[in-house]
Amino acid sequence: MKQIRMIVRACVRMSQVLLLLCLMVIAWQASARLPEAGMLLEAAGGLRAKCLLFGATAFLALFFFLIYRMLGYLSKRGLFVVRLVCGCILLGGQLLFLLYYQSLYMWDSALVVGGVSTLIADGGIAPQALYYFGQYPNQNAFAVVTKLLLAIANLFGGTGMARLLVLNTCNLLCIDLAIVLTMKLAKVVFEELSDRAYTMLLVIIICQPFFYMGVSYYYTITLSMPFFMGFLYLACKAVRQEKETGPKLGGRMICAVLAGIVLSVGTLIRATCLVPAIAVFLCVGLKLLRSREVGKQMVLPIIVCLLAAFVSFMVVKPFLNRQIGIDTKDSAFPATHWVMMSMTPPGCHNAEDEAYTASFASAQEKRAAVRERMAQKAQQLGAKGFMNLALQKIRNTWSDGTNNYVLFMENCLHMDGMYPYVFGHHKDVAVLYHQAMLLLTILGSALSVICSFTRRSDIGAIYLFQLTFLGGILFYLLWETGAQYSLPFLFCMLFCGLDGWNGLASDVLRGKEKRYAQGGFVIVCAALLLVSTGSLFSLKDVLTKEAATYKSPVVNQIIANGELMGDAPIRQTFVTNDPFNQLIFQWRNTAGENSQAVYDVSLSDEEGTILMSGQIVAEGQPYQGAFIKEMDMVTPDGDTSYTLTLQKTDASADTISFVTYTCGTYAPYPKGTLTKGNQVQNGALMFQIARNEQKPYATARQYVFFMLVAVGIFLILEICCILEVKRKERT
């Protein structure tokens, strides 16, 4: 028995060492990149940009340290008020993005919503999405949920805006439910969790920008979050040892059944819900090997959970397939396709591998072809190639603090107010904040692993989150990668990060294990803040004197999947309250370079006043054409509707087509309509309305104000932390 315990302990330590190595790689990669912060990288260069990132990380470390310390002075009622305020801040920010900014859907989300939009009226998937649903039956659960929500939206008129609001409201509820389950899970797994640490967890959660912006990111990633955390919560309640204050056997069995159902439904929505399940089962298995008395109490709930998951999976999956009504026996991609595709550096989605798998007619041919291509890629990569690919995959998935939010959420219905500072040309500070939060979380997670080496209970609650985190890293070493794919693991990352920094904070506040931790922590943070402040000072001329052209999107409909022939007048309306001076759209010269097509292009306001006019002359032009027109600045008086008109000058001449997005009855730009002749079309033109301005990044007054505020906050944090450390030394 002693040997078995030693083997179990060795397995736990090996997994923690592996996680620590991965975290060190992620921290190194995260410290060397500022994705989407073009100005900082261009103006500051690599070294100064790193100094700014380290300074921002130190600033956040001091900020959270001070908040944690201040929470220690509050009573239980005071901590409850803080949690209430945090909840109000979170909900208020979410409502701002839900009701005002409202990101438009891109790619997969648009295809699913558009494909399902015809299910209710016509009983079938939209033709434009048949190929997608045929390849990816794993999206059926997402599609059925979307169908239900669109039916609800039809009760409110079924307009594009109503659909967007209903879908995003569901998304908001999923995110908030995941947060609630995370808070409840913390109470379950950390039985001695103080109200102070509990409140600190919520403070850290509301400081994560994604929980605000993500309400418009309607996709399986967000819909699976409550199932991901719900399974962990229910499973942990089910396997808890019976105590006077804990759940009895009957209650644990109910939790086990619910956990199984949640696991099966969550897996059907997104396969990564299996990762926490595997982590739970491994933890139970290790505990059973170590102590049969303890493990036996956990075996029955796990068996019940697995049976409930199996039964519900066998019931729900056929139901989903019937709802979609597509035979995917031969068209569906095998699971090995994503493994094969991810073997092409840098491990992301690529159209070539997708077209390759789709080119084979039967399921058997697809499986054989994918296996053959995997073998070829493995031979080409070799050992060194696999190592480089693994590093690229880790970088793609885990070292981007923004989680690709700019790519997926920048196309909003409103692009004024704080939009330029979150999504637009002044988003550098927001990107810096995201990356600093990630670096702080990763460093905290590494500290958590290090602290675990000194704990008596090596299969404690925190090990479950560490194992889930490690499982996510290993999963995406095999699978297609993307920065947004790490989001379901965000809560586990926060648990690990908070545990690590809490261990260090204990040293800072009590000095039990590290005698000089108090001064060292403050000195290191002060040094980093001073260096980053110096870097900001050195950028003064670049930021305030050097003028550059900044492009601010005002209306952005940039997804496309087809064309609309211009044999009748085409009109696209849009609404904005933001000034603009540029129009861009794409067209196709379908008749070739000898085409005689000539089109008048005009932009008019609500009163019919022509604000811009131009022409498209197709003769001598290539197949792909773009119309780009600068105009005098147009300044709307509040929300104003404008009409873009495209009309052939000679009805008998050749015809060109205009690039559009059409999928079922989905409205890719719900605040406008597309018409051809007198007939309203489904979809919208691919077009952009923008504002180009020549100006410095910031005025001298803005720069001075920002520097005074930044330095002032730095000094206040430093002074407060020094006073707190001195007070602790005296006591």
Side-chain angles (χ1 to χ4, degrees), residues 445-462:
S445 300
L447 285 171
S448 173
V449 175
I450 293 170
C451 291
S452 296
F453 295 148
T454 64
R455 291 172 180 156
R456 292 181 180 179
S457 176
D458 50 8
I459 316 180
I462 196 63

Side-chain angles (χ1 to χ4, degrees), residues 49-329:
K50 281 187 178 181
C51 291
L52 289 172
L53 176 57
F54 292 145
T57 307
F59 169 79
L60 290 175
L62 284 175
F63 172 75
F64 288 126
F65 167 69
L66 197 59
I67 291 293
Y68 183 74
R69 188 59 191 149
M70 294 300 103
L71 291 176
Y73 295 112
L74 297 179
S75 63
K76 282 192 173 183
R77 184 169 184 176
L79 292 171
F80 173 78
V81 171
V82 171
R83 293 196 295 271
L84 191 62
V85 171
C86 287
C88 292
I89 292 172
L90 178 66
L91 185 59
Q94 289 175 329
L95 289 176
L96 178 64
F97 281 91
L98 174 71
L99 300 175
Y100 189 72
Y101 288 106
Q102 300 187 68
S103 299
L104 302 175
Y105 299 154
M106 306 284 285
W107 304 303
D108 294 65
S109 299
L111 271 170
V112 170
V113 175
V116 172
S117 64
T118 57
L119 261 180
I120 300 173
D122 304 330
I125 295 293
Q128 300 89 346
L130 281 173
Y131 173 79
Y132 180 84
F133 278 91
Q135 288 181 340
Y136 306 117
N138 56 309
Q139 298 284 36
N140 285 357
F142 180 34
V144 171
V145 171
T146 302
K147 176 185 175 183
L148 174 63
L149 294 173
L150 291 182
I152 295 173
N154 287 342
L155 300 177
F156 298 94
T159 63
M161 291 298 294
R163 290 178 172 180
L164 197 65
L165 182 60
V166 170
L167 294 172
N168 288 344
T169 300
C170 173
N171 215 38
L172 183 151
L173 294 174
C174 286
I175 292 173
D176 286 354
L177 179 57
I179 292 172
V180 170
L181 289 168
T182 300
M183 299 300 294
K184 293 182 74 65
L185 176 63
K187 285 288 190 182
V188 171
V189 297
F190 301 111
E191 296 178 358
E192 298 180 358
L193 185 71
S194 65
D195 280 354
R196 176 191 184 187
Y198 186 68
T199 305
M200 190 66 199
L201 175 61
L202 185 58
V203 170
I204 291 174
I205 285 174
I206 71 162
C207 290
Q208 301 294 323
F210 177 79
F211 295 137
Y212 302 92
M213 299 179 295
V215 298
S216 293
Y217 185 38
Y218 179 73
Y219 192 47
T220 58
I221 288 172
T222 45
L223 293 185
S224 68
M225 280 183 171
F227 294 92
F228 192 103
M229 298 310 299
F231 170 79
L232 281 173
Y233 169 67
L234 291 167
C236 287
K237 287 199 72 172
V239 301
R240 282 182 69 182
Q241 298 179 38
E242 290 189 22
K243 297 180 180 179
E244 292 183 3
T245 57
K248 302 302 179 184
L249 183 61
R252 291 168 59 207
M253 292 303 104
I254 292 174
C255 288
V257 171
L258 292 175
I261 296 172
V262 168
L263 173 61
S264 64
V265 176
T267 302
L268 287 167
I269 292 175
R270 192 164 186 86
T272 44
C273 287
L274 281 172
V275 175
I278 295 171
V280 169
F281 300 152
L282 284 175
C283 285
V284 171
L286 291 171
K287 286 198 172 188
L288 180 61
L289 288 172
R290 167 168 290 183
S291 173
R292 291 187 178 181
E293 292 183 4
V294 174
K296 282 180 180 179
Q297 297 184 35
M298 301 179 176
V299 171
L300 183 57
I302 290 298
I303 293 174
V304 171
C305 175
L306 288 172
L307 287 173
F310 176 77
V311 172
S312 56
F313 186 86
M314 297 304 292
V315 171
V316 174
K317 187 173 183 181
F319 168 77
L320 297 175
N321 294 340
R322 288 195 301 271
Q323 289 292 308
I324 300 303
I326 297 178
D327 181 9
T328 60
K329 179 182 177 181

Side-chain angles (χ1 to χ4, degrees), residues 451-527:
C451 291
S452 296
F453 295 148
T454 64
R455 291 172 180 156
R456 292 181 180 179
S457 176
D458 50 8
I459 316 180
I462 196 63
Y463 180 65
L464 172 61
F465 300 118
Q466 292 172 351
L467 198 57
T468 304
F469 192 179
L470 177 62
I473 295 173
L474 296 177
F475 178 82
Y476 284 113
L477 286 178
L478 293 173
W479 212 253
E480 171 198 349
T481 63
Q484 69 276 18
Y485 295 161
S486 65
L487 284 168
F489 299 89
L490 180 56
F491 294 106
C492 291
M493 293 166 64
L494 293 180
F495 270 125
C496 295
L498 181 59
D499 176 71
W501 286 114
N502 184 49
L504 181 63
S506 298
D507 290 337
V508 171
L509 295 175
R510 295 192 292 269
K512 283 187 175 180
E513 299 178 20
K514 297 183 180 180
R515 190 173 178 182
Y516 301 106
Q518 296 99 329
F521 175 75
V522 175
I523 290 171
V524 169
C525 290

Side-chain angles (χ1 to χ4, degrees), residues 363-519:
Q364 186 176 359
E365 289 176 323
K366 283 182 170 66
R367 287 193 294 268
V370 167
R371 284 196 300 267
E372 182 181 349
R373 197 171 176 96
M374 284 175 65
Q376 292 173 355
K377 289 187 177 186
Q379 189 175 5
Q380 292 171 0
L381 284 170
K384 186 178 179 180
F386 269 114
M387 181 60 68
N388 290 332
L389 179 61
L391 292 174
Q392 289 181 49
K393 285 188 169 187
I394 291 175
R395 175 184 172 87
N396 290 340
T397 311
W398 304 100
S399 68
D400 183 352
T402 68
N403 299 110
N404 259 351
Y405 85 87
V406 176
L407 177 65
F408 288 95
M409 290 180 272
E410 68 175 341
N411 301 310
C412 299
L413 286 179
H414 294 91
M415 298 186 178
D416 55 353
M418 66 179 184
Y419 177 91
Y421 305 97
V422 179
F423 300 100
H425 49 68
H426 278 54
K427 62 180 177 290
D428 304 86
V429 174
V431 171
L432 187 65
Y433 176 85
H434 278 83
Q435 201 67 11
M437 284 293 292
L438 172 68
L439 195 55
L440 194 67
T441 303
I442 296 300
L443 292 175
S445 300
L447 285 171
S448 173
V449 175
I450 293 170
C451 291
S452 296
F453 295 148
T454 64
R455 291 172 180 156
R456 292 181 180 179
S457 176
D458 50 8
I459 316 180
I462 196 63
Y463 180 65
L464 172 61
F465 300 118
Q466 292 172 351
L467 198 57
T468 304
F469 192 179
L470 177 62
I473 295 173
L474 296 177
F475 178 82
Y476 284 113
L477 286 178
L478 293 173
W479 212 253
E480 171 198 349
T481 63
Q484 69 276 18
Y485 295 161
S486 65
L487 284 168
F489 299 89
L490 180 56
F491 294 106
C492 291
M493 293 166 64
L494 293 180
F495 270 125
C496 295
L498 181 59
D499 176 71
W501 286 114
N502 184 49
L504 181 63
S506 298
D507 290 337
V508 171
L509 295 175
R510 295 192 292 269
K512 283 187 175 180
E513 299 178 20
K514 297 183 180 180
R515 190 173 178 182
Y516 301 106
Q518 296 99 329

